[in-house]
Amino acid sequence: MTYHRTVCETALETTGAFRSPWLRAAFRTVERTDFVPDRIWLITADDDGLYPMLDKAVDEPAWLAAVWDPHRSVVTQLDDGATAATGPASGGFTSSVSAPDIVFEKLNQLDLEPGHRVLEIGLGSGYNTALLSERAAAVTSIDIDPDLVDAATARLRRAGYPARTVCGDGLAGYGHDAPYDRIIATASVHGIPDAWREQAADGAVVLTPFNTAFEDGGLLKLRAQGGVLSGTFVGSASYMPVRAHRWRHRLPSLDAYAQSASPIDPARVLDGTWAQSFTLGLHVPDIHRTARSTEDGRQAQLWDTGGTSVSVVDYAAWREGAAVTQWGPRNLWAEVVAAYATWRTNGQPHVTRYGLTYDDAGRTLWFDAPDNPVHSCPHQ
């Protein structure tokens, strides 16, 4: 093996990436470099705010080091392909080859066995598809971008993998090959579509990165039984969202507002760990937040995803009567503070103690067990 590949394997070994015995052989068999374009962007911007580009033809050692970095993804598309891969650029990440550590962690969580039929949401470069094909009986992979599908299909065929590749909306699944024993997403969602539930065989695992409006980055593992999906968060996974699940601000046109003091320092609520923020997002599933700095200091801005209400919270003057300004019928800051109080009262539980159930009625968030619901909401 090459130097960079050996270093990557050693690093993955330390993280338990090969605890499912078949994965070490898959790592060694699937040549990752065969599934990465010759031109890629790094995920860390330079001083000019541009993402550096690495061109294999210009600096192959640097390209190889980036491709085999065990902990960092490489970006293969910006702005849905509108930004050409010609040099350093800015824009939104819309496709990547995920870092080996999270790729193999997800494959461990998938509990994949020989004979399984797999639906993959997000074909991307085809690397994950090739790894799945080393274990599963049949793999169907779907992606919404025709250029990505064409390129990945060609790579898979050159490497000898017969996986079915489909250009289409991954949220609709692919009914022609259903039911599936495993469904795995390589892009994040903020809700499980009915199609995945309907196309999952009894006993199937559905594994997906999961975002809340408040905080991104959960990894949700569900099991299917009788048309119901239910399971817990098993860790974190930061992935680009499927195109239909990108958050968009819908600001209401409101003139009237109310002001009040905050009952707590906003920093205690909003500047916590990822696990704290993600858990709060589970409690307030339709509240999105951003932060900004003004001449007077820091502010937090909250929107509800339905576009009815907005709250702005001032950090420095949180005790004062004008610290929280709210527009619309909902006091979003009060809802977030209430979620924080509940989390603290429950002993600051980790996100892995929370689970979701999807059935015909909608979605239920629960704590520790499905018979201990936190709240329910209809299908989004």
Side-chain angles (χ1 to χ4, degrees):
M1 291 190 293
T2 65
Y3 168 76
H4 293 296
R5 187 171 184 170
T6 301
V7 170
C8 182
E9 181 174 350
T10 301
L12 293 179
E13 178 69 45
T14 66
T15 67
F18 305 128
R19 62 185 183 272
S20 298
W22 71 274
L23 285 174
R24 186 187 299 276
F27 174 85
R28 292 178 173 178
T29 300
V30 178
E31 178 54 61
R32 182 173 167 89
T33 54
D34 289 344
F35 292 90
V36 180
D38 288 352
R39 292 181 174 182
I40 55 177
W41 288 281
L42 302 180
I43 62 174
T44 303
D46 60 22
D47 293 340
D48 295 327
L50 301 177
Y51 301 110
M53 166 164 280
L54 293 178
D55 188 333
K56 182 179 179 181
V58 174
D59 191 346
E60 185 171 7
W63 182 88
L64 284 169
V67 170
W68 287 111
D69 187 320
H71 309 302
R72 290 181 181 271
S73 305
V74 293
V75 177
T76 57
Q77 187 189 75
L78 294 174
D79 302 323
D80 297 328
T83 299
T86 56
S90 61
F93 300 160
T94 51
S95 191
S96 68
V97 184
S98 298
D101 57 358
I102 188 58
V103 168
F104 282 83
E105 175 57 27
K106 287 174 64 188
L107 291 174
N108 276 298
Q109 291 287 353
L110 195 60
D111 301 328
L112 188 59
E113 296 292 344
H116 279 165
R117 300 170 59 83
V118 180
L119 174 64
E120 179 187 39
I121 312 300
L123 171 61
S125 74
Y127 178 62
N128 195 72
T129 316
L131 292 168
L132 290 168
S133 299
E134 286 291 317
R135 181 71 164 176
V139 179
T140 299
S141 186
I142 186 168
D143 204 295
I144 200 168
D145 190 306
D147 292 333
L148 293 177
V149 172
D150 289 346
T153 302
R155 295 185 189 107
L156 287 164
R157 298 299 175 264
R158 285 196 298 268
Y161 294 106
R164 184 195 292 270
T165 56
V166 179
C167 185
D169 182 0
L171 296 179
Y174 190 70
H176 296 287
D177 291 342
Y180 301 98
D181 303 294
R182 298 291 184 266
I183 298 176
I184 181 172
T186 64
S188 63
V189 297
H190 57 66
I192 304 300
D194 284 341
W196 296 6
R197 188 165 57 91
E198 294 161 357
Q199 294 172 22
D202 277 354
V205 171
V206 177
L207 184 73
T208 182
F210 190 95
N211 293 340
T212 70
F214 198 79
E215 182 69 54
D216 295 341
L219 182 60
L220 179 62
K221 183 176 181 178
L222 305 167
R223 289 222 176 242
Q225 193 65 46
V228 176
L229 294 177
S230 189
T232 61
F233 291 92
V234 293
S236 62
S238 181
Y239 276 75
M240 303 166 195
V242 298
R243 295 187 185 186
H245 283 194
R246 295 171 183 169
W247 298 111
R248 295 176 175 85
H249 295 154
R250 299 167 57 191
L251 299 181
S253 298
L254 300 170
D255 295 323
Y257 61 88
Q259 292 185 313
S260 62
S262 171
I264 190 173
D265 183 349
R268 295 182 64 85
V269 180
L270 300 176
D271 294 351
T273 64
W274 166 82
Q276 172 184 320
S277 295
F278 189 80
T279 302
L280 295 184
L282 293 173
H283 283 266
V284 288
D286 67 340
I287 297 180
H288 183 75
R289 64 163 177 165
T290 59
R292 70 172 185 172
S293 296
T294 69
E295 292 181 357
D296 297 324
R298 297 173 64 198
Q299 288 184 336
Q301 300 173 316
L302 307 173
W303 291 267
D304 74 312
T305 57
T308 68
S309 303
V310 178
S311 294
V312 176
V313 186
D314 186 86
Y315 275 69
W318 65 271
R319 298 180 180 85
E320 300 176 8
V324 181
T325 305
Q326 63 184 70
W327 292 262
R330 294 172 59 184
N331 186 333
L332 302 181
W333 180 238
E335 293 182 35
V336 171
V337 170
Y340 175 78
T342 298
W343 176 72
R344 294 279 299 192
T345 300
N346 287 339
Q348 305 176 55
H350 193 262
V351 64
T352 52
R353 293 180 64 185
Y354 288 86
L356 289 171
T357 295
Y358 285 84
D359 55 24
D360 288 338
R363 179 175 83 181
T364 300
L365 173 71
W366 44 267
F367 179 61
D368 280 341
D371 60 1
N372 187 25
V374 176
H375 61 69
S376 298
C377 58
H379 289 290
Q380 298 176 334

